[in-house]
Amino acid sequence: MSATATQTAPARPVRRPVVTGLPSIQVVPSPAPMKGFILSIIACIVLLCGAFATVFWLNTAMVEGAYKIQEQKVLLNDLADTRNTLQDEIAEASTAVALRDKAESLGLVPATEIRHVDLGNSVVTGGSATNGQ
């Protein structure tokens, strides 16, 4: 048997119906009217300007805050210097020699007798026996 004898012939295509007349053409309106497009463009421009204004405002606020922080740091350093100077003056004035000189300039003399006052019992103790209690 030969290979050509066993093959079947291809099926004939089915006939299509014949279109009669011209197809009708209709005008279809555009899905987005111009009014909506213009409003969208205006909204985008407003949003863009608002974003720029917000960024500029934030940047200005941050710079202003940085200047205030710098001013406060300078003030803090000045106050720290003043505190250190005053602490040095207090330490110098608190020495025994300085206290003795200041007391002498005010007319004070060293105590010869030491007495103690007991407020709870209303009693003065110490000192010499001749001064009484």
Side-chain angles (χ1 to χ4, degrees), residues 62-121:
M62 288 178 64
V63 168
E64 182 180 344
Y67 281 122
K68 286 182 181 179
I69 288 171
Q70 182 65 26
E71 288 174 3
Q72 294 300 318
K73 284 182 180 180
V74 168
L75 179 62
L76 184 63
N77 288 337
D78 290 343
L79 291 175
D81 291 342
T82 303
R83 188 187 89 209
N84 290 337
T85 303
L86 292 174
Q87 283 178 340
D88 291 343
E89 290 176 6
I90 289 171
E92 184 180 320
S94 297
T95 62
V97 174
L99 289 174
R100 186 188 68 214
D101 292 342
K102 184 66 175 176
E104 288 175 356
S105 70
L106 292 173
L108 300 175
V109 294
T112 56
E113 298 177 358
I114 298 176
R115 295 185 179 186
H116 298 282
V117 177
D118 186 2
L119 296 177
N121 296 332

